[in-house]
Amino acid sequence: MITTTDIFTISSQKQFEKIALKVFRYQYENNKVYHEFCNFLKTDPHKVKSIQQIPFLPIQFFKSHEVISNTHEIQETFTSSGTTGMITSKHLVTDVTLYEESYRKGFSEFYGNIEDYVVLALLPSYLEREGSSLIYMVKDLIELSNHPESGFYLNNHDELITQLITLEKAGQNVILIGVTFALLDLIEYSKSISFPLWGLGGSTIIMETGGMKGRRKEMIREELHDQLCEGFGVSAIHSEYGMTELLSQAYSLGNGVFECPAWMQILVRDTEDALTYIPDGKTGGINVIDLANINSCSFIATQDLGKKNPNNSFEVLGRFDNSDIRGCNLMVL
């Protein structure tokens, strides 16, 4: 039996691999979709002795199947964002306390005590729909911060700008977490009213969650972070890497280099052969191991492109387009 203590007290690579193999066998036996997928690849679970031999479920399966590893009641259904007509992913969560423990411990590992921060959230595209796992997490972090100034902002830019400047002048530690297009909109608005935000270099952390959501042209990370650094007057832009289908997040404290909490790791697969891994420093498809995801699937092949560094940090470099995804074709049932 695998316990939450097993997952959240991992302290070495050997321990990580041992628990990952246990989770793999558990999910093979209890997750119908994952079981059929492994059988499709002719995987003998008794011969899987390393994490590199574990099959990774293509993330698209969350759009067409119920990916679940037990028969417990569904407590939360998290859904991905998408434009009208798009099929969205559904993550059926039978124990939401696992998610809460994962993001709380993960945040603490990278940023310390949440009560040291005022948490401001600029997430309009997420607030405007139901079922966002990001909103669930940020709402909880806002409440845990115990600061009356913490809260969500939608289109009330004037109020947010005033709050940011007031808190900065008071020397209060602040995290402004925002979807990318909304952060850019905020900078442009502040310039238009001659109330620039460029003085926020002291106690304010700007954290972008990625995504233009069709509101702006996509930009490469270097260009985006240069604009955000200049607009907010900070030396680095922090980033959060998470998704509907996961229960854990990786964080970048600057330069787009992400690190995972101890119960999460990535591998990078060959874009031409989805069952082969490539050396550190080479670009390929990102596979995520999220051991907190024990009740759905902990081994997910994403549609993100990236590269892994020798110290297990990683960078996200883009996404597969329809022509690039040929390497995953054999993985779709």
Side-chain angles (χ1 to χ4, degrees), residues 70-138:
N70 59 38
T71 57
H72 300 167
E73 183 180 350
I74 306 301
Q75 294 182 354
E76 292 284 342
T77 299
F78 293 131
T79 58
S80 62
S81 56
T83 56
T84 303
M86 281 185 62
I87 299 173
T88 57
S89 292
K90 286 187 177 182
H91 188 180
L92 306 178
V93 180
T94 59
D95 184 359
V96 76
T97 64
L98 268 171
Y99 182 42
E100 292 168 352
E101 187 165 5
S102 178
Y103 66 65
R104 289 172 183 174
K105 286 183 180 294
F107 180 92
S108 177
E109 183 175 322
F110 289 97
Y111 293 99
N113 190 346
I114 183 63
E115 293 187 0
D116 291 340
Y117 298 91
V118 168
V119 180
L120 306 178
L122 185 60
L123 302 166
S125 58
Y126 295 91
L127 278 175
E128 292 160 1
R129 67 178 182 84
E130 296 290 328
S132 166
S133 58
L134 179 61
I135 293 295
Y136 188 101
M137 177 182 78
V138 174

Side-chain angles (χ1 to χ4, degrees), residues 32-103:
K32 180 182 177 182
V33 172
Y34 187 58
H35 184 97
E36 291 179 357
F37 174 70
C38 290
N39 287 349
F40 176 77
L41 295 180
K42 297 181 170 56
T43 301
D44 181 349
H46 300 293
K47 294 182 179 179
V48 174
K49 304 297 183 183
S50 71
I51 57 176
Q52 288 79 11
Q53 295 173 312
I54 294 174
F56 282 73
L57 188 74
I59 201 165
Q60 303 96 299
F61 275 67
F62 283 83
K63 294 183 177 182
S64 55
H65 296 73
E66 292 190 349
V67 182
I68 193 166
S69 294
N70 59 38
T71 57
H72 300 167
E73 183 180 350
I74 306 301
Q75 294 182 354
E76 292 284 342
T77 299
F78 293 131
T79 58
S80 62
S81 56
T83 56
T84 303
M86 281 185 62
I87 299 173
T88 57
S89 292
K90 286 187 177 182
H91 188 180
L92 306 178
V93 180
T94 59
D95 184 359
V96 76
T97 64
L98 268 171
Y99 182 42
E100 292 168 352
E101 187 165 5
S102 178
Y103 66 65

Side-chain angles (χ1 to χ4, degrees), residues 249-301:
Q249 300 77 31
Y251 289 99
S252 167
L253 307 189
N255 300 318
V257 178
F258 290 90
E259 294 188 28
C260 298
W263 55 91
M264 177 184 181
Q265 286 188 14
I266 73 149
L267 301 174
V268 179
R269 66 183 186 270
D270 193 319
T271 56
E272 299 292 334
D273 179 1
L275 303 181
T276 300
Y277 294 104
I278 60 176
D280 292 344
K282 301 288 186 180
T283 300
I286 293 178
N287 285 1
V288 177
I289 302 174
D290 178 10
L291 299 181
N293 233 5
I294 188 169
N295 293 323
S296 56
C297 184
S298 291
F299 312 97
I300 297 175

